[in-house]
Amino acid sequence: MGRRRRGVMSESLKYELAKELGFYDTVQSEGWGGIKAKDAGNMVKRAIELAEEAMARGNR
């Protein structure tokens, strides 16, 4: 029995970031496999920035 690995980012966050970064249309038409590696990297970078901002707000 295989165990399914749970993603770190929720689906809703991934879609939100795709919209913010301008490649949501590609995801809609081609799926996540259709995005460029650069776009995927930018999505991860933005998610990290958001997490760091949330942590900074929590430490005040």
Side-chain angles (χ1 to χ4, degrees):
M1 208 188 307
R3 290 175 55 164
R4 185 174 176 174
R5 183 171 181 250
R6 186 168 186 216
V8 174
M9 281 192 274
S10 70
E11 286 298 308
S12 60
L13 176 59
K14 287 194 282 188
Y15 285 115
E16 182 180 324
L17 292 173
K19 289 175 187 174
E20 179 182 328
L21 298 171
F23 54 88
Y24 180 73
D25 291 342
T26 301
V27 173
Q28 287 294 94
S29 62
E30 302 176 34
W32 290 107
I35 67 171
K36 298 175 186 170
K38 181 179 178 180
D39 290 334
N42 286 337
M43 187 170 73
V44 171
K45 181 180 175 183
R46 182 66 181 132
I48 291 169
E49 289 171 353
L50 291 172
E52 288 174 341
E53 290 169 11
M55 287 174 50
R57 283 192 305 271
N59 289 334
R60 288 185 183 173

